[in-house]
Amino acid sequence: MMMIAYFERRQQQQQQRLVPDGDVELDPDHSILRALDSDATGDVAGAASRDFGGMVFLQPARFLRPSTADDIAGAVVLAARSSRLTVAARGNGHSVCGQAMADGGIVLDMRTLGPGMEIVRCGGTTAAAADVPAGALWAEVLSWAVRNHGMAPVSWTDYLGLTVGGTLSNGGISGQAFRHGPQVANVTELEVVTGDGERLVCSPSSASDLFFAVLGGLGQFGFITRARIPLVPAPKMVRWIRVVYGAFDEYARDAEWLVTRDDSAAFDYVEGFVFRNDASDPVSGWSSVPIPHGSAFDPARIPADSSPILYCLELALHYDHIQADNVDERAKEMLRPLRYLRGLEFAADVSYVEFLSRVGRVEEEARASGTWATPHPWLNLLISSSDIADFDLTVFKRVLSRGIGGPMLVYPLRRSKWDERMSVAVPDGELFYLVALLRFVTPQAGEAAVKEAVAQNQEILSHCRNKGYDFKVYIPHYESEADWARHFDGDWTRFIERKRRYDPMAILSPGQTIFSRARPPAAVAASAS
Ligand code: FAD
């Protein structure tokens, strides 16, 4: 897949289709369009035609604001009756390759979906869950659950400005996933509108195939309108720790040991990142490590023979004020066996909400510097632990030794925490690493820098393929059927069968570029006559 070629081709397509063609069959007086506050001008050219990636621009025919699942079903039925309309659900538009767009089709603004969030008690037990609309941001779920109920979900993303439906359609990964599984493994019931416009409630015990299809299903089998997410009592405080390593093998050995410990001896959160052995790089050098921010990083602690790349393990321990007395002891005990560079450890005590909201500060800084609005050629990979040392040697130490202008995350996850019945594709090995190359391009750097970053991503992908790594792209984007078949590998047939079952005309989520919209039988017959 050549993303540059793709980018240029999409721009050409857009120029050709600024006016939706005559076959689009969108009668502006249609009751659904009138009821859903459709806007054919302002917003169509705005939010619905762009995303966080800032590299793909596709103009929809309509941007609708549904407030109920029935509104969504109505829009899907309207599209099904046409000969070529497609429908995309837009969460918060934080995709990077146009996945939430519909070229000349209908985009649904899932943020407007109601009703509000509510607590449910499960099966007459005291266990609680939250029923939340799919367009709610995880930040909204956090603040509602903690403030009103003293409860919280167990599995998060690093950044909380993402929608529940958006991350459940992909995976939802953060430092809790090694222990509790990703967000797709922490949901017990979904309400879904399928490609037939049918509204169904599904769970592991009822309509289970649809339930698992939709989880990590890239929006292909149905739009999630409501999700039931188990809650636990929210911890009050977090001991947030960072420790630095000079050698990748020691970093990886410790990280893998930490994510395979029994729950009783495990941290509550394990992540990690690569940073440059360099004082002068303000984004990915030494200064990116210390917490609380402003505390000193002593370079004398770095061995003289260290590589240009260093590693930082990020850990967290939950505690309540009542237990505060022993958190020092617990943290000390848990850090003792680790082989990090003594003297390069950092810690801060923050509230649970503050900890989970930590990336919000990064967002504020990026908005202020202008890098939130520039293109984001991001690449996320899941790479088996058997290949990660080679990846470190070739990619981190050589290809990316000058940094990427943003965070480079690398930390292990466990396959056994993912359910194989879900659609999401992960590597075969039990331990695999999330590698997230979160590139930020300064406004001054311009388009050449974006193209260079995209080309570098391609080089990295080619390297992974050529070396035969056991790996997957996370938040994938491919153009050809062959690439999608390779991505899903042994599950590709199941993916196609599920598409036939739940969205036979391929109306849903065209921005993923997996399937082409099929014409309804009547339209095919009419065009043939
Ligand atoms: P969108 O980008 O709007 O949609 C994503 C896809 O899902 C589209 O195909 C869309 O059509 C479909 N979709 C949206 N809503 C629904 C629905 N209700 N039902 C069915 N399909 C739907 N990911 C992680 O796992 N962990 C992280 O820590 C993390 N951090 C991120 C930080 C930033 C700043 C960004 C930009 C992304 C991050 N991501 C992370 C990736 C994120 O999970 C994806 O971008 C995802 O797309 C969620 O974004 P969204 O809610 O805006 O969904």
Side-chain angles (χ1 to χ4, degrees), residues 64-192:
L64 304 184
R65 299 185 184 86
S67 49
T68 66
D70 285 340
D71 292 342
I72 291 178
V76 172
V77 168
L78 172 69
R81 290 196 185 127
S82 77
S83 63
R84 65 171 75 175
L85 271 181
T86 53
V87 187
R90 185 180 196 276
N92 207 21
H94 277 54
S95 297
V96 295
C97 289
Q99 287 97 328
M101 297 181 198
D103 189 10
I106 297 173
V107 175
L108 301 171
D109 181 359
M110 302 302 277
R111 295 283 294 126
T112 59
L113 197 60
M117 299 184 245
E118 63 180 45
I119 288 281
V120 287
R121 296 281 160 195
C122 306
T125 67
T126 51
D131 264 4
V132 302
L137 300 181
W138 284 102
E140 293 163 351
V141 176
L142 173 68
S143 113
W144 168 84
V146 170
R147 190 178 311 138
N148 298 342
H149 306 283
M151 313 274 284
V154 292
S155 187
W156 295 95
T157 45
D158 294 344
Y159 172 65
L160 304 185
L162 310 168
T163 63
V164 170
T167 67
L168 291 181
S169 299
N170 279 299
I173 303 174
S174 187
Q176 304 84 11
F178 82 91
R179 188 163 163 178
H180 299 288
Q183 290 179 323
V184 280
N186 287 281
V187 52
T188 56
E189 188 180 285
L190 296 170
E191 182 188 62
V192 172

Side-chain angles (χ1 to χ4, degrees), residues 156-160 162 173-176 269 271 355-360 409 411 434 438:
W156 295 95
T157 45
D158 294 344
Y159 172 65
L160 304 185
L162 310 168
I173 303 174
S174 187
Q176 304 84 11
Y269 164 103
E271 280 204 11
F355 176 71
L356 291 178
S357 312
R358 65 199 177 281
V359 181
L409 309 185
Y411 61 89
L434 173 77
L438 309 179

Side-chain angles (χ1 to χ4, degrees), residues 7 30-31 124 162 164 183 216-217 228 232 234 252 344 416:
F7 177 39
H30 194 287
S31 58
L162 310 168
V164 170
Q183 290 179 323
R228 182 164 294 177
V232 297
L344 286 178
S416 47

Side-chain angles (χ1 to χ4, degrees), residues 165-248:
T167 67
L168 291 181
S169 299
N170 279 299
I173 303 174
S174 187
Q176 304 84 11
F178 82 91
R179 188 163 163 178
H180 299 288
Q183 290 179 323
V184 280
N186 287 281
V187 52
T188 56
E189 188 180 285
L190 296 170
E191 182 188 62
V192 172
V193 172
T194 66
D196 293 325
E198 204 178 346
R199 184 178 148 179
L200 295 162
V201 173
C202 55
S203 70
S205 57
S206 167
S208 62
D209 184 65
L210 176 64
F211 178 79
F212 290 113
V214 162
L215 293 172
L218 308 175
Q220 294 304 304
F221 313 112
F223 292 148
I224 302 166
T225 53
R226 215 163 164 72
R228 182 164 294 177
I229 296 156
L231 301 176
V232 297
K236 297 219 166 23
M237 296 294 293
V238 173
R239 169 70 51 94
W240 179 14
I241 300 165
R242 285 180 177 172
V243 291
V244 171
Y245 289 76
F248 185 74

